Amino acid sequence: MRIVLLGAPGSGKGTQAKLLSAHYRVPQISTGDILRAAVEADNELGKRVSDGIGIDAVTDNLRAPDSRRGFILDGFPRNIPQAQELDTRLSWMDRPLQLALNFCIEPEHLLKRVTGRITCGDCGAIFNRYFIPTEKRGVCDQCGSANFTRRSDDQAKTFSKRLDAYLVESEPLIDYFRAQQKLRTVQVEDDTAQVFETICSVIDADIRPFDKKVSAGDVMTRSPSLTSRVISGGAVERAKVKKKPAASKAKGWESVCSVV
């Protein structure tokens, strides 16, 4: 299986990629992990951080022995030129992408997921003030530490900039993969286990159709306030959409799910 995960920052791509990697026994290729490893190793890629992740770094991972059974791309491609180059190189390998899974989430839920995230500075356990709070306020459930930290890019203002960058650069990828009839959209506001089950159903229906079938209703977005798309014969069809509530005013946020 050869898939790519699309979605706004904080939509849960990394979490689901790890679960899918273990379930299907194929590697998760995370551009963030590649970059961090390069910086720590102080190699040539790490010295070119300002240029972003190069296609060469991703290609090297795709050629690795553990990628022969497939791969899950998380964080790449980030724009149309990267997607086109990726398609070209995978064509050379005779290993084209099979699916592009688009993670859809309501803006208000996304903001709470990101800004509510806290990490134990001692054991690394991750919690969320809104969805996964600690049993005892201010105390880590895993190690009992009170040393919690927050990532700088989880601040509301910083996150808004990250989201704007995603909408401008990465969102056109959705149309790109839709044109190839590879786009599938999954609502990701349920708990992690439910989202994982839904994703597996979509993957199995497309890549392993004789093992499991999925009906159109199984992948329909649940919220009537969002643009809904239903898988139907490999196509993704648009349904009616209601206007975004006035309470959500962040620039561009109405577009986070406008393509699902």
Side-chain angles (χ1 to χ4, degrees):
M1 74 180 248
R2 302 176 297 276
I3 66 175
V4 58
L5 305 184
L6 307 174
S11 58
K13 298 187 300 296
T15 297
Q16 293 298 331
K18 288 180 173 60
L19 294 174
L20 293 170
S21 175
H23 181 70
Y24 290 104
R25 294 180 295 169
V26 296
Q28 169 200 12
I29 300 176
S30 166
T31 51
D33 292 343
I34 293 173
L35 177 57
R36 283 187 287 271
V39 171
E40 292 176 0
D42 194 30
N43 62 20
E44 187 60 30
L45 176 60
K47 295 175 182 178
R48 295 188 290 110
V49 171
S50 60
D51 295 333
I53 295 294
I55 182 67
D56 290 341
V58 174
T59 303
D60 288 344
N61 281 266
L62 295 176
R63 287 178 175 147
D66 63 348
S67 296
R68 290 175 182 171
R69 296 186 69 252
F71 53 80
I72 300 165
L73 279 173
D74 168 22
F76 189 93
R78 297 185 178 183
N79 51 51
I80 297 296
Q82 288 182 346
Q84 292 172 329
E85 182 64 19
L86 176 65
D87 276 345
T88 298
R89 299 200 182 195
L90 288 175
S91 177
W92 292 344
M93 302 178 199
D94 195 23
R95 302 171 67 199
L97 284 174
Q98 295 167 294
L99 282 180
L101 295 177
N102 177 38
F103 284 26
C104 173
I105 184 171
E106 285 198 54
E108 295 83 358
H109 192 98
L110 180 62
L111 181 62
K112 287 184 177 181
R113 178 179 287 188
V114 173
T115 60
R117 184 164 47 194
I118 55 176
T119 304
C120 176
D122 291 338
C123 72
I126 300 176
F127 302 91
N128 188 289
R129 292 184 292 118
Y130 302 104
F131 306 118
I132 315 174
T134 57
E135 292 184 6
K136 184 177 180 181
R137 186 173 181 179
V139 178
C140 176
D141 295 348
Q142 303 296 324
C143 67
S145 171
N147 178 27
F148 285 100
T149 62
R150 293 182 62 193
R151 289 169 33 177
S152 60
D153 55 2
D154 285 349
Q155 303 297 326
K157 290 184 178 179
T158 304
F159 175 70
S160 181
K161 293 180 180 178
R162 293 174 61 204
L163 183 60
D164 286 344
Y166 164 77
L167 294 174
V168 170
E169 189 171 55
S170 297
E171 199 174 71
L173 286 170
I174 294 170
D175 285 331
Y176 178 84
F177 287 115
R178 182 188 299 120
Q180 297 181 352
Q181 297 188 353
K182 296 177 180 178
L183 183 70
R184 301 292 182 267
T185 295
V186 178
Q187 188 78 23
V188 293
E189 290 175 0
D190 292 328
D191 62 46
T192 300
Q194 289 177 312
V195 172
F196 175 70
E197 183 178 351
T198 300
I199 292 174
C200 288
S201 295
V202 174
I203 291 174
D204 291 344
D206 276 88
I207 299 178
R208 300 161 58 187
F210 295 106
D211 293 339
K212 188 173 184 179
K213 293 290 185 181
V214 60
S215 66
D218 291 333
V219 291
M220 188 189 307
T221 54
R222 296 184 179 86
S223 174
S225 65
L226 303 176
T227 304
S228 297
R229 291 186 178 277
V230 180
I231 295 179
S232 176
V236 185
E237 302 171 353
R238 182 180 294 274
K240 293 182 179 179
V241 60
K242 294 183 179 180
K243 293 183 179 179
K244 178 177 66 66
S248 178
K249 298 181 180 179
K251 178 183 178 183
W253 278 37
E254 67 273 15
S255 297
V256 172
C257 290
S258 66
V259 289
V260 303

